[in-house]
Amino acid sequence: MPLDSNEPFASTASYYARYRPRYPKELYASVAERFGLDGTQHALDLGCGPGTIALPLAALVDEVTAVDPEAGMLEQGRALAARQGVANIRWTLGDSATLHTLDLPPLDLCLMGKSFHWMSRDQVLADLDQLTTRQGGVVVISAGPPGTTPLPGWAHVVADVRASYLGPVRRAGDGVYPEPQETYLDTLARSPFPRVTVHRWDQHVIRTLDELIGLQYSNSYSTPTQLGDRKDAFDDDLRKALTEHEPSARFEETIRTEALVATRL
């Protein structure tokens, strides 16, 4: 997660905070049980975005250090924390390559959501081995391997409109959206945290037209910056295409959450 002016999420923070789905409550209950969270631990949310993980996790530990390379994401997180009355999150500008410079206390737990996709995964797991207590571990949260759940019917409509504006290849910042060469499970299996248990939950989500369009601007491959002065035209074309596809303006999706809970042997 390098911190630079071309960071793919620089213009997405407000959309990310508003439109990205939250993880299920069962995730946090499972993590709390596995690591015996009792309000005394220190946790790291690495690549925290606007606090999607950090905010609910804060109720279970003494302090969460929430780290992200995008200042706008941290601003959104601080605002959400203030509105929710959450005061035990330390919002920190940084990335997975600078962990040893962040003055972290011994960590009982590190959680990483979709941010893990953007990291040098072998290196960050090796660094966390040095920063995490012997009883601690890491949790990697994602939607599971590609193809885990079928795409909703409206997904091809969004993809077609996006391709007409940004081309058929998914972009990220000034580059191309990187596809993982191996599963996260395989990466963890050869890491310092090779003992892995897998938890999965499915959520049925219904979005309005505005919510579905807003969601697109939270993605690294369809950001407001990438669209530039064509954003309004993209918005109009996408709105028209989605309305033709689903006149009810009721857009349903099954979202899979997969948590890989990894500890040392």
Side-chain angles (χ1 to χ4, degrees), residues 199-244:
H199 305 269
R200 298 186 181 96
W201 302 272
D202 287 342
Q203 296 170 280
H204 184 66
V205 175
I206 301 173
R207 295 186 178 91
T208 66
L209 179 60
D210 287 342
E211 289 170 342
L212 185 55
I213 290 175
L215 178 67
Q216 307 317 308
Y217 300 131
S218 78
N219 293 320
S220 63
Y221 42 81
S222 54
T223 70
T225 295
Q226 288 169 335
L227 290 162
D229 59 10
R230 298 183 297 167
K231 179 177 178 292
D232 288 346
F234 171 82
D235 199 291
D236 290 342
D237 286 347
L238 183 56
R239 188 175 297 272
K240 179 180 178 181
L242 286 169
T243 300
E244 290 176 352

Side-chain angles (χ1 to χ4, degrees), residues 142-149 183-185 200 256 258 260:
S142 72
T148 299
T149 53
T183 67
Y184 295 163
L185 191 60
R200 298 186 181 96
R256 166 66 55 84
E258 178 178 277
L260 304 179

Side-chain angles (χ1 to χ4, degrees), residues 144-210:
T148 299
T149 53
L151 292 174
W154 49 259
H156 73 88
V157 178
V158 174
D160 288 347
V161 175
R162 182 178 64 235
S164 72
Y165 278 82
L166 298 173
V169 177
R170 286 186 173 187
R171 298 162 54 194
D174 290 340
V176 175
Y177 185 82
E179 296 294 345
Q181 300 303 305
E182 67 177 359
T183 67
Y184 295 163
L185 191 60
D186 288 341
T187 302
L188 288 165
R190 56 182 171 75
S191 80
F193 305 93
R195 178 178 290 171
V196 182
T197 57
V198 182
H199 305 269
R200 298 186 181 96
W201 302 272
D202 287 342
Q203 296 170 280
H204 184 66
V205 175
I206 301 173
R207 295 186 178 91
T208 66
L209 179 60
D210 287 342

Side-chain angles (χ1 to χ4, degrees), residues 23 62 105 132 233:
Y23 295 119
D62 181 52
T132 307

Side-chain angles (χ1 to χ4, degrees), residues 128-148:
L128 287 170
D129 184 37
Q130 300 178 39
L131 296 167
T132 307
T133 63
R134 294 308 302 173
Q135 297 76 29
V138 301
V139 180
V140 177
I141 305 166
S142 72
T148 299

Side-chain angles (χ1 to χ4, degrees), residues 16-17 20-23 28 45 48-57 91:
Y16 205 107
R20 284 290 180 107
R22 303 302 184 251
Y23 295 119
Y28 302 98
D45 179 3
C48 64
T52 307
I53 294 171
L55 288 163
L57 181 65
W91 302 96

